């Protein structure tokens, strides 16, 4: 079996070779696949790359990423302890919301990423990635409440959080997000 790294590289190659989402690909500088520890118990899933992410090819390196780093630090973690990706892998123009068809076309590739990394907890950031794992649920009602779902032949925990960009200029949402995230290490301890 190829290493996790090689398997993830293959997903990126497939996306390029099959010309997935040509409208976004045409305007993008980089395909932003993900970054971090391929053996982590925790995977974060955001929406789509922004300007900085498109320029660097790395997820969450702009203002929202800075806040994500702070959230991690509050739990005694660093980026190298987790894996971070998005549902949509190319930047939508002018940072508009990803379209339903853009999310749908990247969904199978996100599932493959998760199968390879095999985390215990998937943290969805914002409603765009949440709605795929927890259809019909509302982020305002269920944020910070872990849900166990069947994933292939085993269960994983989905932890729905608000998107860090939403909390950037909203002090109380910022604290909510940190409080929600601080539940994750205990959830992992209980799963072991
Ligand atoms: N917002 C996201 O959802 N993803 C990123 O990578 C950056 C900002």
């Amino acid at each position: 079996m190829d290493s996790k790294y090689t398997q993830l590289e293959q997903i990126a190659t497939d996306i390029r070779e099959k010309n997935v989402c040509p409208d976004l690909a045409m305007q993008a500088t980089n395909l932003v696949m993900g970054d971090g520890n391929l053996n982590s118990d925790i995977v974060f899933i955001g929406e789509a790359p922004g300007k900085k992410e498109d320029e660097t090819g790395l997820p969450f390196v702009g203002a929202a990423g800075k806040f994500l780093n702070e959230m991690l630090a509050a739990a005694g973690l660093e980026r190298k302890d987790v894996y971070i990706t998005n549902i949509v892998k190319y930047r939508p123009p002018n940072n508009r919301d990803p379209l339903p068809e853009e999310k749908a076309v990247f969904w199978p590739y996100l599932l493959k990423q998760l199968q390879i990394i095999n985390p215990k907890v998937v943290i969805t950031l914002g409603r765009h990635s949440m709605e795929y794992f927890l259809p019909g649920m509302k982020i305002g009602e269920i944020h910070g409440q872990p849900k166990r779902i069947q994933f292939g032949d085993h269960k994983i925990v989905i932890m729905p959080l608000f998107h860090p960009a939403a909390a950037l200029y909203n002090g109380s949402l910022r604290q909510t997000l940190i409080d929600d995230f601080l539940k994750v290490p205990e959830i992992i301890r209980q799963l072991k």
Side-chain angles (χ1 to χ4, degrees), residues 32 45-50 53 58-62 64-65 84-86 125 163-165:
V32 182
I45 305 176
E47 292 176 14
E53 290 76 19
L58 295 168
F60 282 96
V61 287
I84 303 172
T85 186
N86 287 300
L125 297 170
H163 195 287

Side-chain angles (χ1 to χ4, degrees), residues 79-123:
R79 281 175 78 108
K80 64 173 174 48
D81 299 319
V82 301
Y83 190 81
I84 303 172
T85 186
N86 287 300
I87 181 159
V88 169
K89 314 294 195 206
Y90 289 118
R91 181 190 183 205
N94 303 316
N95 295 349
R96 66 153 167 73
D97 279 357
L99 302 174
E101 56 269 31
E102 292 164 352
K103 290 182 270 183
V105 82
F106 278 111
W107 172 243
Y109 296 98
L110 176 60
L111 284 182
K112 281 190 205 158
Q113 278 181 299
L114 291 176
Q115 278 158 3
I116 293 165
I117 298 168
N118 197 22
K120 292 192 166 62
V121 178
V122 167
I123 299 178

